[in-house]
């Protein structure tokens, strides 16, 4: 159930665990309904809208898995060695339909059709060629080195399920099974905005007490790596309640997701919550036991999913990755849940306050005897820090009940992509 925003001076409701907040965010997300049909060459990374069946068997005919000789096992009677004349040559792409004459072998190449009557292919390395005859000493087995029609995928069988991302190998599967185009969900429309008179864009001079807006660049770059999303950047909004309200209303009307950074705490100049209340937003997440990451707001604004991320850069990056991104994947129609967490061990000592799950930037240069990365902590965990995460190889998660991390402590780490 959505939690009403009862007071503009603070956030009501209990503190949620990270997992509970993530589940709530995913629960209020709804997949985009519109679809489009794309040729395979334009569909990489997009989300499949419906199951796809093979238009052709894969492979479409019995063919050789090796360069060698096709033969009939019935011609290898008695004890070897056996000698057979070579009656024909069959290359990949050979369209002539030929049968294998009894008592003969066919020179055959990888991918070439198996001649009628042959039931095995002997690798050329296991055959001695003497003019137009071959000699083999080792017996063969039925079906040896033959790829049967449809053994990879039968005609009409489901090649891919709805809700998967179309990766290069999956596109290759569709192409190999004769599918020329696919129905995909349309891209998720995401609007991003920043709030705060203290923000300036890089390249502009800083006025007194201003800082450069790094969250906009981080969010745009992160969303640009998602082939199923398209981004509209609304820039920096001043700390003006009416301007903020008008901007988020317009953003919600034209986008599936609205993401703001800054202005969601309980300060007098943090106007996002007041604007959401005035627009009758339904807020499902208000307080989360995460470090860094407070404050955070998740809910629905009209027909749009809304995320109010913290203004501090590291906190914004963590809350986006851990709570917003899984919900965005549902909006895109993705049904697969990636598991990027790897087992690791601490190589550092860290005393901390319990009660919140913490995400810390880490690096590593060695592994333990089990092959697990030995993590070294970067920075001091400040939510406004940028340099540690820029240098990090991954993000380690520390459970909320651990007060001290000792070297050798088992942890999990999410490896950061390139």
């Amino acid at each position: 159930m959505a939690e009403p925003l009862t007071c503009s001076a603070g956030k009501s409701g209990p503190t949620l665990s990270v997992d509970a907040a993530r589940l709530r965010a995913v629960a209020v997300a709804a997949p985009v309904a519109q679809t489009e049909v794309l040729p395979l060459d334009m569909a990489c990374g997009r989300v499949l809208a419906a199951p796809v069946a093979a238009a052709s068997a894969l492979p479409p005919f019995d063919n050789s898995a090796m360069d060698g000789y096709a033969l009939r096992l019935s011609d290898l009677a008695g004890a070897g060695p056996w000698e057979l004349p070579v009656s024909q040559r069959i290359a990949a792409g050979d369209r002539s339909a030929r049968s294998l004459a009894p008592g003969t072998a066919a020179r055959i190449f990888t991918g070439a059709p198996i001649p009628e009557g042959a039931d095995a292919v002997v690798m050329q390395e296991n055959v001695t060629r003497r003019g137009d005859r071959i000699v083999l000493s080792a017996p063969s087995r039925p079906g040896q080195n033959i790829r049967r029609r449809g053994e990879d995928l039968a005609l009409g069988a489901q090649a891919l399920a709805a809700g998967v991302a179309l990766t290069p190998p999956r596109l290759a599967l569709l192409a190999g099974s004769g599918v020329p185009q696919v129905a995909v969900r349309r891209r998720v429309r995401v609007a991003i905005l920043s709030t705060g008179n203290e923000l300036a864009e890089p390249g502009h001079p800083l006025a007194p007490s201003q800082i450069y807006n790094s969250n906009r660049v981080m969010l745009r770059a992160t969303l640009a790596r998602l082939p199923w999303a398209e981004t509209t950047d609304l820039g920096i909004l001043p700390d003006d309640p009416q301007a903020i309200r008008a901007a988020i209303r317009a953003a919600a009307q034209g986008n599936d997701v609205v993401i703001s950074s800054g202005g969601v705490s309980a300060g007098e100049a943090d106007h996002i919550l007041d604007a959401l209340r005035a627009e009758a937003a339904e807020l499902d997440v208000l307080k989360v036991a995460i470090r860094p990451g407070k404050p955070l707001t998740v809910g629905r604004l009209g027909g749009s999913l809304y995320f109010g991320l913290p203004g501090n850069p590291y906190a914004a990056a963590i809350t986006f990755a851990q709570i917003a991104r899984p919900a965005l994947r549902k909006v895109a129609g993705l049904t697969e849940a990636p598991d990027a967490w790897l087992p690791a061990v601490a190589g550092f000592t860290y005393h901390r306050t319990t009660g919140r799950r913490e995400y810390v930037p880490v690096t590593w240069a060695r592994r333990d005897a089990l092959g697990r990365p030995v993590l070294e902590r970067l920075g001091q965990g400040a939510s406004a820090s940028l340099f540690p995460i820029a240098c990090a190889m991954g993000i380690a998660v520390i459970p909320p009940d651990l007060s001290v991390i000792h070297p050798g402590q088992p942890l999990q780490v999410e490896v950061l992509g390139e």
Side-chain angles (χ1 to χ4, degrees):
M1 178 181 292
E3 181 174 333
L5 184 58
T6 58
C7 178
S8 62
K11 291 190 171 186
S12 63
T15 299
L16 299 175
S17 69
V18 175
D19 292 336
R22 183 185 299 118
L23 288 173
R24 284 199 182 188
V26 171
V28 298
V32 295
Q34 295 87 352
T35 64
E36 57 182 326
V37 177
L38 295 177
L40 298 187
D41 289 344
M42 297 179 61
C44 189
R46 300 295 295 274
V47 181
L48 201 57
V52 179
S56 168
L58 184 63
F61 53 87
D62 293 356
N63 68 89
S64 179
M66 297 285 177
D67 289 350
Y69 294 87
L71 48 78
R72 298 173 185 265
L73 293 179
S74 59
D75 292 332
L76 305 182
W82 302 272
E83 184 172 330
L84 296 171
V86 179
S87 60
Q88 57 182 299
R89 180 183 183 275
I90 310 174
D94 194 331
R95 299 182 181 181
S96 59
R98 285 173 282 185
S99 298
L100 182 64
T104 70
R107 177 68 166 129
I108 196 166
F109 296 90
T110 302
I114 300 296
E116 183 180 350
D119 53 10
V121 172
V122 180
M123 293 174 58
Q124 61 186 17
E125 293 84 353
N126 297 333
V127 170
T128 301
R129 182 75 183 250
R130 295 176 179 171
D132 61 353
R133 306 180 73 83
I134 60 168
V135 178
L136 61 155
S137 301
S140 299
R141 55 179 174 77
Q144 181 175 328
N145 297 322
I146 294 178
R147 295 186 291 216
R148 295 298 183 187
R149 179 181 187 272
E151 71 173 30
D152 198 5
L153 196 62
L155 172 64
Q158 180 173 295
L160 293 175
V164 303
L166 290 169
T167 62
R170 288 170 174 169
L171 289 169
L173 173 64
L174 296 181
S177 58
V179 177
Q181 58 189 22
V182 286
V184 298
R185 292 187 187 269
R186 70 158 171 81
R187 286 190 172 97
V188 178
R189 299 173 185 137
V190 184
I192 62 172
L193 59 96
S194 303
T195 65
N197 293 334
E198 75 277 12
L199 297 178
E201 294 294 0
H204 292 74
L206 288 176
S209 301
Q210 281 195 313
I211 60 173
Y212 286 121
N213 184 11
S214 58
N215 284 351
R216 169 185 171 275
V217 174
M218 182 272 293
L219 287 171
R220 280 186 66 95
T222 301
L223 292 166
R225 298 174 67 180
L226 306 177
W228 39 263
E230 59 184 32
T231 306
T232 299
D233 186 355
L234 302 180
I236 301 172
L237 301 182
D239 286 322
D240 177 270
Q242 296 306 314
I244 290 174
R245 180 181 176 185
I248 65 171
R249 182 196 308 123
Q253 291 171 350
N255 294 277
D256 307 299
V257 181
V258 178
I259 304 176
S260 68
S261 63
V264 291
S265 68
E268 291 182 3
D270 295 325
H271 302 296
I272 289 290
L273 291 178
D274 283 338
L276 292 171
R277 181 181 63 174
E279 292 299 316
E282 298 179 359
L283 302 182
D284 289 79
V285 175
L286 290 170
K287 295 192 294 185
V288 183
I290 186 173
R291 181 186 294 122
K294 294 177 69 177
L296 170 70
T297 298
V298 182
R300 294 203 67 85
L301 180 58
S304 186
L305 185 62
Y306 175 82
F307 294 99
L309 304 183
N312 283 323
Y314 184 46
I318 291 299
T319 50
F320 178 87
Q322 301 305 318
I323 297 174
R325 186 168 57 191
L328 279 174
R329 291 177 61 85
K330 183 179 177 183
V331 178
L334 286 161
T335 57
E336 299 171 300
D339 185 4
W341 294 98
L342 300 176
V345 294
F348 58 90
T349 299
Y350 176 34
H351 295 265
R352 62 185 293 275
T353 303
T354 59
R356 287 193 282 170
R357 183 182 295 178
E358 185 168 358
Y359 296 85
V360 297
V362 293
T363 188
W364 58 90
R366 60 190 178 93
R367 296 176 179 266
D368 68 3
L370 298 178
R372 297 174 296 182
V374 179
L375 308 179
E376 297 299 332
R377 182 173 170 235
L378 297 171
Q380 301 302 314
S383 61
S385 298
L386 282 169
F387 191 72
I389 192 173
C391 298
M393 295 172 64
I395 303 295
V397 59
I398 300 177
D401 57 339
L402 287 183
S403 60
V404 182
I405 307 300
H406 294 293
Q409 170 74 46
L411 296 173
Q412 287 187 311
V413 64
E414 182 177 23
V415 179
L416 295 178
E418 296 181 355

